[in-house]
Amino acid sequence: MIQQKKLRKTIPLTESQSRRLHELSEFDGLDPLEHSMRAIDEYLRKQNIDIQPPKENEIQAELKNLTAESSTSGAFWISGTVDKYEFSALFLKLPSKSGIDKGKVSKLSIWDPQVLEDSKSFIGACIVNYDRGWDIKPSKIAEPLYNKVKVLLDSSGEQYIKKRRLR
């Protein structure tokens, strides 16, 4: 059997579901995990979902708010939107070893506000999360959104901070 990639999220089965899964496995001799994977694959095939990543030139991103980080001199929280998602980033005065690509962005979260509202789970709503290291790396679908935010922060972050300071 092919070694499956381990996922971070788990789906708990009810006692009845677990019992039926084991009964089915005893009946045909297949591993319960194999049955689960087949059921998931069949479900996804039936969904007929063709998800395409957005094109970067069609993505709208905007910086919205700036807040000084009280615990770190010269650091600012910058928030904004990227398409239907929201983001927040800790932008440092100087590049850092712990920053993304050893740059000035030390923390970055991109999340779906609707999922956050429905689930009340910030991490569950995140499509990207970097906190001095990757917690949730951008998927193929999230990568263009992440790239748009990263370029926006790298190219406009310092100007945005200077502009807001002058007000």
Side-chain angles (χ1 to χ4, degrees), residues 84-154:
K84 70 173 189 169
Y85 301 95
E86 295 180 10
F87 70 87
S88 180
L90 183 60
F91 194 85
L92 305 174
K93 185 161 85 173
L94 299 171
S96 168
K97 288 189 280 185
S98 64
I100 297 175
D101 299 329
K102 298 189 183 344
K104 295 181 178 184
V105 178
S106 175
K107 298 182 181 188
L108 173 65
S109 296
I110 303 173
W111 67 92
D112 186 329
Q114 187 62 52
V115 172
L116 177 59
E117 184 180 317
D118 294 344
S119 69
K120 307 291 187 241
S121 168
F122 180 74
I123 285 295
C126 283
I127 61 169
V128 173
N129 195 55
Y130 183 92
D131 185 351
R132 297 183 190 108
W134 287 109
D135 298 315
I136 302 173
K137 287 185 174 185
S139 66
K140 284 185 179 183
I141 294 171
E143 193 168 12
L145 298 162
Y146 161 75
N147 289 340
K148 189 74 167 193
V149 169
K150 183 77 170 67
V151 166
L152 181 64
L153 289 169
D154 288 344

Side-chain angles (χ1 to χ4, degrees), residues 4 6 40 55 59-60 65 68 78 88 117 143 159:
Q4 296 292 326
K6 291 187 180 180
I40 291 168
K55 293 178 175 55
I59 298 172
Q60 300 296 316
N65 198 7
I78 299 176
S88 180
E117 184 180 317
E143 193 168 12
Q159 291 88 353

Side-chain angles (χ1 to χ4, degrees), residues 40-53:
I40 291 168
D41 289 343
E42 183 177 335
Y43 171 80
L44 292 174
R45 268 194 305 278
K46 286 181 180 178
Q47 295 305 304
N48 196 22
I49 298 173
D50 184 24
I51 299 175
Q52 295 294 320

Side-chain angles (χ1 to χ4, degrees), residues 14-50:
T14 65
E15 188 175 318
S16 172
Q17 290 170 324
S18 181
R19 187 173 49 252
R20 293 207 57 209
L21 182 61
H22 286 284
E23 287 171 358
L24 181 59
S25 295
E26 287 175 5
F27 176 74
D28 65 8
L30 288 177
D31 182 21
L33 180 60
E34 181 66 26
H35 280 291
S36 299
M37 297 305 293
R38 286 181 181 183
I40 291 168
D41 289 343
E42 183 177 335
Y43 171 80
L44 292 174
R45 268 194 305 278
K46 286 181 180 178
Q47 295 305 304
N48 196 22
I49 298 173
D50 184 24

